[in-house]
Amino acid sequence: MKNILKITAFAFLLISFASCTDTIDPKVSPNGFTLNALNPTGPFVLSPLDGDNLLATLTWGPADSGVTTVSPKYTLEIAKAGTNFEKPIVANTPSTALTVVWQEGYINAILLANGFVPDAVADIDIRVKSVLGENTNNFVQYSNTLNMKVTPFAQLFLAFTKVGDNPANAPKTKSSSLYTSDCEGYAWLEVGTYRFYTSVGGVFQSSNPYYGDNGSGALVLNGAAINVTTAGFYLIKADISKSPTTYSLTVSEWGIYGLAKPNPTGVNRKMIYNTATKKWELTVLLNGGKPFRFRNTASTLILGAFDETKVGANYAGTVLSYNGKDIYLAGTTASTYTVTLDLNTPRGYTYTLVKQ
């Protein structure tokens, strides 16, 4: 019996020893790896017109940890230059690949989301992080560091400024997305001469580059001032991506139409522009449970409730869309409302309904 117990105990010891040797981690060593020079090298100035364009290709050699049976995962990290990656920003999806292609729009979004200022040079450091293993005992190595200088962009704004005035206080026009330059906005314009000013570092000032008329009704840098001969409320448009670049000034008066207004088959009920509030207003009897929309009385331009399918030229913000949905009134009876249309924020147009 004692012999059987001794044999059994010995067998368990053998099994235990075998188990331990099978789970011993392989030895790793920090032998390093190299992030290759940028291709192209920069500096880079990003553009809203080139969001899908290739910015740079980053490549590196495999990290040498002394282990060849398992591939590490690589993460590109960027940080403000000179901070020693105190707050690293991940700039790719971690993978075992040894190359990453950056597009302009992708890097632009990352920079803006992490506090870098549009239209100003961002001085950033880049490195690759190698991680071997999947648990808390990961083996981590870092590549050498490269430097990149890149100027991000914001959604394009142009300030339509009367000559002699401060562009910071002038009415603004805004593009429909990050990757377009189809700027528009609304404002009351006095008689005078105007220019489209750009922003630099997110700041509008009279020393910034500006666009004017090229003599043939198109825009050109440092062109002639644009004449406004009649005071009024205007839809202001400019597109600096076309060739030739374009602009337009259209008198814009607004009203409401639809089944909600009295005599729904008749003409628009014209709204009144309030020069103090800079909004269009109308107090009117409206039918409950019926729809209406806003319509420009000088054209077929229509603003309806937000419609997520309306993009590009039909994008007017997150409250109203061009050719958007019907706006319905609550209830089933007719009541008097004060209706207000606010077009002061470019591509951020809003309205209010206040029951009297």
Side-chain angles (χ1 to χ4, degrees), residues 260-338:
K261 72 181 182 62
N263 187 21
T265 59
V267 297
N268 291 354
R269 288 298 302 271
K270 185 177 178 181
M271 304 179 78
I272 298 169
Y273 183 72
N274 186 324
T275 55
T277 64
K278 299 182 180 180
K279 299 175 184 178
W280 290 90
E281 300 171 350
L282 179 66
T283 299
V284 61
L285 183 69
L286 296 174
N287 297 311
K290 303 293 184 180
F292 77 93
R293 291 191 285 178
F294 298 97
R295 181 159 59 186
N296 188 306
T297 57
S299 70
T300 58
L301 200 62
I302 293 170
L303 280 170
F306 178 69
D307 182 344
E308 62 278 1
T309 68
K310 304 297 184 183
V311 296
N314 279 322
Y315 181 75
T318 57
V319 175
L320 293 169
S321 297
Y322 287 117
N323 301 309
K325 300 176 181 179
D326 286 330
I327 301 168
Y328 279 88
L329 290 161
T332 58
T333 59
S335 300
T336 299
Y337 289 85
T338 295

Side-chain angles (χ1 to χ4, degrees), residues 3 10 26 51 62 89 105 146 208 220 242 247 265 318 321:
N3 288 335
F10 183 72
I89 302 164
L146 298 180
N208 290 358
V220 64
K242 294 182 177 180
Y247 76 93
T265 59
T318 57
S321 297

Side-chain angles (χ1 to χ4, degrees), residues 77-356:
E77 294 183 341
I78 64 175
K80 186 177 180 180
T83 62
N84 197 29
F85 291 89
E86 181 180 353
K87 296 180 180 179
I89 302 164
V90 174
N92 76 310
T93 301
S95 75
T96 58
L98 300 176
T99 182
V100 165
V101 176
W102 276 347
Q103 292 175 309
E104 288 199 21
Y106 176 76
I107 293 303
N108 192 78
I110 287 177
L111 293 176
L112 296 183
N114 286 278
F116 290 91
V117 179
D119 303 319
V121 177
D123 189 3
I124 61 174
D125 289 334
I126 308 168
R127 71 181 181 185
V128 182
K129 178 181 180 181
S130 164
V131 178
L132 184 66
E134 299 290 344
N135 52 41
T136 55
N137 294 320
N138 292 338
F139 183 69
V140 177
Q141 292 190 83
Y142 293 99
S143 73
N144 56 306
T145 298
L146 298 180
N147 180 261
M148 170 190 279
K149 291 178 174 59
V150 55
T151 303
F153 62 87
Q155 199 159 351
L156 182 63
F157 285 84
L158 297 172
F160 193 61
T161 309
K162 192 174 183 179
V163 174
D165 288 352
N166 184 352
N169 302 325
K172 306 300 188 294
T173 63
K174 182 182 180 181
S175 62
S176 61
S177 73
L178 273 176
Y179 309 118
T180 60
S181 61
D182 53 345
C183 294
E184 73 158 48
Y186 292 87
W188 182 274
L189 302 179
E190 300 293 342
V191 172
T193 53
Y194 292 76
R195 297 167 175 159
F196 286 98
Y197 275 88
T198 61
S199 67
V200 176
V203 176
F204 286 99
Q205 53 190 4
S206 57
S207 59
N208 290 358
Y210 67 84
Y211 287 85
D213 195 293
N214 71 347
S216 302
L219 288 177
V220 64
L221 274 172
N222 305 318
I226 297 165
N227 288 321
V228 174
T229 57
T230 304
F233 190 80
Y234 285 83
L235 167 60
I236 307 163
K237 288 190 172 187
D239 194 330
I240 60 173
S241 68
K242 294 182 177 180
S243 182
T245 53
T246 61
Y247 76 93
S248 64
L249 305 175
T250 306
V251 174
S252 181
E253 297 179 334
W254 289 85
I256 63 173
Y257 84 106
L259 297 176
K261 72 181 182 62
N263 187 21
T265 59
V267 297
N268 291 354
R269 288 298 302 271
K270 185 177 178 181
M271 304 179 78
I272 298 169
Y273 183 72
N274 186 324
T275 55
T277 64
K278 299 182 180 180
K279 299 175 184 178
W280 290 90
E281 300 171 350
L282 179 66
T283 299
V284 61
L285 183 69
L286 296 174
N287 297 311
K290 303 293 184 180
F292 77 93
R293 291 191 285 178
F294 298 97
R295 181 159 59 186
N296 188 306
T297 57
S299 70
T300 58
L301 200 62
I302 293 170
L303 280 170
F306 178 69
D307 182 344
E308 62 278 1
T309 68
K310 304 297 184 183
V311 296
N314 279 322
Y315 181 75
T318 57
V319 175
L320 293 169
S321 297
Y322 287 117
N323 301 309
K325 300 176 181 179
D326 286 330
I327 301 168
Y328 279 88
L329 290 161
T332 58
T333 59
S335 300
T336 299
Y337 289 85
T338 295
V339 186
T340 302
L341 178 63
D342 185 348
L343 303 176
N344 289 298
T345 302
R347 296 197 188 273
Y349 313 131
T350 61
Y351 71 96
T352 58
L353 292 169
V354 179
K355 194 173 182 179
Q356 302 302 299

Side-chain angles (χ1 to χ4, degrees), residues 23-44:
T23 58
I24 290 176
D25 290 333
K27 292 183 178 180
V28 293
S29 55
N31 298 321
F33 65 110
T34 300
L35 173 61
N36 299 321
L38 291 171
N39 180 27
T41 59
F44 305 94

